[in-house]
Amino acid sequence: MTVKRRTGRRPGAGDTRGEILTAARQVFAEKGFDKATIRGIARGAAVDPALVHHYFETKEGLFVAAMRLPIDPAQVVPLVLDGPREEVGERLVRFILTVTSDAQAREPVLALLRSAMTNEQVLGMIREFITNALLYKVADGLGVSHLRMEAAFGQLIGVVLARYVLALEPLASADLEELVELLAPTVQRYLTP
């Protein structure tokens, strides 16, 4: 007698999506972003890898959901790259400052940055995600070096930390448009080969 493997939804009233997210957080924490796999996460959640793809589409999408990040590389990269080349610095600055101006979106980012400063494992995971899923894709799309892209991002992350962690005045209370006008030319210089 052959035992037929059951396919489809698992029996019971479990929170499959939540179980996948729990497994993803654990696998990302243990292995980092690059070495984590959809198969490994699915195994940890006791689901088929196709179900992980159904809920989250990509590993990047799963990482964003698991870490509660307010940005999805699948949306950010085209947003930054779409439009006139001479305005890419402004688009990038406006995007980062707009996202971080919302306290609810900013808090998970700041929590991860704080964790990364004291935990080597979290640091590696965040570094891999930021560089491979975001920065290098934008750099390659613009045809600029990864160093230039990292320098531009470093400029912006420094502003975010000074504005929201250190609360330096008048930077902390400056108007978003004033900051875009101030920072966009500098970021544009980094992104112009």
Side-chain angles (χ1 to χ4, degrees):
M1 175 177 174
T2 60
V3 177
K4 196 173 188 180
R5 185 175 171 214
R6 184 182 158 107
T7 60
R9 192 171 158 85
R10 293 185 301 173
D15 174 17
T16 304
R17 187 177 191 281
E19 291 170 11
I20 293 169
L21 287 171
T22 299
R25 286 184 195 103
Q26 182 177 352
V27 171
F28 285 130
E30 289 172 1
K31 299 187 177 211
F33 178 77
D34 282 347
K35 291 182 181 158
T37 65
I38 293 293
R39 283 188 185 281
I41 292 166
R43 192 171 31 259
V47 300
D48 188 279
L51 197 54
V52 177
H53 285 291
H54 168 74
Y55 281 114
F56 303 100
E57 293 185 24
T58 64
K59 182 167 79 167
E60 289 85 0
L62 177 56
F63 185 84
V64 167
M67 298 301 138
R68 297 178 182 94
L69 297 178
I71 56 169
D72 182 352
Q75 296 170 350
V76 174
V77 173
L79 177 80
V80 173
L81 295 177
D82 188 37
R85 175 66 185 248
E86 63 275 4
E87 296 172 8
V88 72
E90 180 182 339
R91 285 192 303 277
L92 184 58
V93 170
R94 186 176 304 284
F95 173 76
I96 296 290
L97 292 179
T98 300
V99 167
T100 57
S101 69
D102 175 28
Q104 198 170 10
R106 179 177 63 244
E107 286 312 311
V109 172
L110 293 180
L112 277 174
L113 288 174
R114 286 181 180 114
S115 295
M117 290 179 193
T118 59
N119 183 314
E120 188 65 36
Q121 201 169 18
V122 173
L123 175 63
M125 180 176 56
I126 297 300
R127 179 178 36 236
E128 290 168 3
F129 175 74
I130 288 172
T131 56
N132 296 331
L134 286 167
L135 298 183
Y136 294 171
K137 287 182 179 180
V138 172
D140 294 346
L142 293 171
V144 299
S145 72
H146 292 175
L147 175 61
R148 284 179 169 270
M149 188 68 230
E150 288 178 357
F153 181 74
Q155 179 88 34
L156 293 173
I157 206 71
V159 168
V160 168
L161 291 172
R163 187 167 161 95
Y164 296 109
V165 175
L166 299 175
L168 297 178
E169 287 296 349
L171 183 64
S173 59
D175 178 68
L176 187 131
E177 290 304 317
E178 182 180 5
L179 289 177
V180 170
E181 185 179 325
L182 177 67
L183 297 168
T186 300
V187 172
Q188 182 68 41
R189 186 184 69 75
Y190 288 121
L191 301 177
T192 303

